[in-house]
Amino acid sequence: MAALGGDGLRLLSVSRPERQPESAALGGPGPGLCCWVSVFSCLSLACSYVGSLYVWKSELPRDHPAVIKRRFTSVLVVSSLSPLCVLLWRELTGIQPGTSLLTLMGFRLEGIFPAALLPLLLTMILFLGPLMQLSMDCPCDLADGLKVVLAPRSWARCLTDMRWLRNQVIAPLTEELVFRACMLPMLAPCTGLGPAVFTCPLFFGVAHFHHIIEQLRFRQSSVGSIFLSAVFQFSYTAVFGAYTAFLFIRTGHLIGPVLCHSFCNYMGFPAVCAALEHPQRRPLLAGYALGVGLFLLLLQPLTDPKLYGSLPLCVLLERAGDSKAPLCS
């Protein structure tokens, strides 16, 4: 995970006078203004996304189908308009990415098949222990499970389930579009790629604090438990956000983070405590350890930029004068 570090672009540094200031290289108004515009744009996007969930007044809980349908409408509108924020950012800063806006946001065909498969495979390797636990606790065998998964009737049932659509389709697509595809291109010229990996998820983590409002409103637990749950969720989503930001930068595609997000939503947080008390505890814990070990071993090879072609964010930073961005090789 050392590659996740990095020195960034050092926009505010003046220790290398022989190098042209990056704002000048980009034709922008200056590094200070560029950073303020970037942070304000990201904050506006995060607030718009979360705020859109509450434009509908309802006394129903968030998992009610009627509430989910209304929120689908809101987040889809905000997500559809989010590229306009990137376009406005580009006009205000004068930054010229050297590629189209959609390409910069991860919508491109070059390298799309490895970008869809390899990050998902990497994430499944990380969840090797939970997948083993799921198979051990499943009453059906592998053949029966595959029949259920591949049956058209099962998919038809899923597509009419509002909670399934929210967790597996709408939330992964819209959250990755807003919090990765739109925010990372705006943050990277200000912070550099390495710091952007950790800065971008903060907006994502804080955005999930809105669940406190509904939990307090419906008194689903004690106040202390609700806030502890919110802190845990912030930590988990921030770490996950850093991971998908890393995938977005290293592959230059949005599809990988979306698929990984959907898979993680399906799996949930690993039930480590249940694994410790499982009748087959030893092989299960070995699976957990093996999954984490293989994940760390394969993280760099399976996200090697050479597998995915030219990376739009790396092209952006090369135009800024940073030809040695740590995540671009």
Side-chain angles (χ1 to χ4, degrees):
M1 299 292 279
L4 288 178
D7 298 325
L9 287 182
R10 297 186 295 275
L11 279 173
L12 304 181
S13 174
V14 293
S15 61
R16 299 178 65 182
E18 73 279 4
R19 179 172 162 182
Q20 183 185 17
E22 292 176 14
S23 58
L26 291 170
L33 180 58
C34 173
C35 287
W36 277 111
V37 171
S38 298
V39 172
F40 180 76
S41 298
C42 292
L43 186 61
S44 299
L45 271 180
C47 292
S48 298
Y49 187 92
V50 175
S52 71
L53 301 175
Y54 293 95
V55 296
W56 311 97
K57 292 184 178 180
S58 176
E59 297 300 322
L60 300 172
R62 65 186 294 268
D63 287 335
H64 192 282
V67 174
I68 295 175
K69 288 179 182 179
R70 291 172 182 173
R71 290 185 169 185
F72 278 1
T73 303
S74 301
V75 297
L76 287 172
V77 169
V78 171
S79 301
S80 300
L81 296 177
S82 60
L84 296 178
C85 187
V86 185
L87 183 63
L88 179 61
W89 164 83
R90 188 181 67 179
E91 295 302 318
L92 291 174
T93 60
I95 291 177
Q96 300 300 322
T99 184
S100 71
L101 191 64
L102 288 178
T103 300
L104 188 65
M105 294 171 57
F107 294 95
R108 61 195 188 101
L109 293 177
E110 182 186 16
I112 190 170
F113 291 111
L117 296 176
L118 295 182
L120 181 58
L121 174 62
L122 183 65
T123 307
M124 293 177 73
I125 290 172
L126 176 62
F127 277 79
L128 178 60
L131 286 171
M132 288 177 57
Q133 191 170 350
L134 190 63
S135 65
M136 289 177 179
D137 296 338
C138 182
C140 57
D141 59 24
L142 180 61
D144 291 336
L146 287 175
K147 288 180 181 179
V148 173
V149 169
L150 299 176
R153 188 173 298 177
S154 298
W155 283 99
R157 192 182 305 115
C158 289
L159 293 175
T160 57
D161 184 342
M162 290 297 103
R163 293 182 63 179
W164 187 92
L165 282 174
R166 179 191 63 192
N167 296 336
Q168 311 308 137
V169 181
I170 301 299
L173 178 60
T174 58
E175 289 179 3
E176 293 303 319
L177 174 61
V178 171
F179 291 93
R180 246 67 71 186
C182 289
M183 290 190 183
L184 280 170
M186 295 191 290
L187 287 173
C190 173
T191 65
L193 291 180
V197 166
F198 297 103
T199 305
C200 186
L202 297 180
F203 295 98
F204 182 59
V206 170
H208 284 73
F209 269 115
H210 75 91
H211 293 308
I212 295 178
I213 299 173
E214 297 186 9
Q215 290 174 345
L216 289 174
R217 179 181 166 194
F218 291 100
R219 288 293 177 180
Q220 297 175 350
S221 184
S222 66
V223 175
S225 298
I226 289 173
F227 277 94
L228 283 176
S229 174
V231 170
F232 172 79
Q233 188 176 34
F234 168 79
S235 303
Y236 178 59
T237 54
V239 171
F240 173 78
Y243 173 57
T244 55
F246 176 79
L247 292 177
F248 180 82
I249 292 171
R250 294 276 287 180
T251 66
H253 282 273
L254 182 62
I255 188 170
V258 170
L259 292 177
C260 292
H261 194 147
S262 180
F263 174 76
C264 289
N265 276 0
Y266 173 76
M267 293 298 297
F269 191 81
V272 180
C273 293
L276 291 172
E277 299 175 356
H278 200 277
Q280 302 184 54
R281 180 174 65 254
R282 289 185 178 180
L284 194 54
L285 293 179
Y288 270 82
L290 180 62
V292 173
L294 287 175
F295 172 80
L296 295 175
L297 186 66
L298 296 173
L299 179 63
Q300 295 289 344
L302 291 186
T303 61
D304 189 337
K306 295 177 183 177
L307 298 171
Y308 308 102
S310 175
L311 303 184
L313 282 181
C314 295
V315 172
L316 171 63
L317 297 196
E318 285 175 5
R319 290 174 62 85
D322 188 359
S323 59
K324 296 182 180 180
L327 299 184
C328 294
S329 59

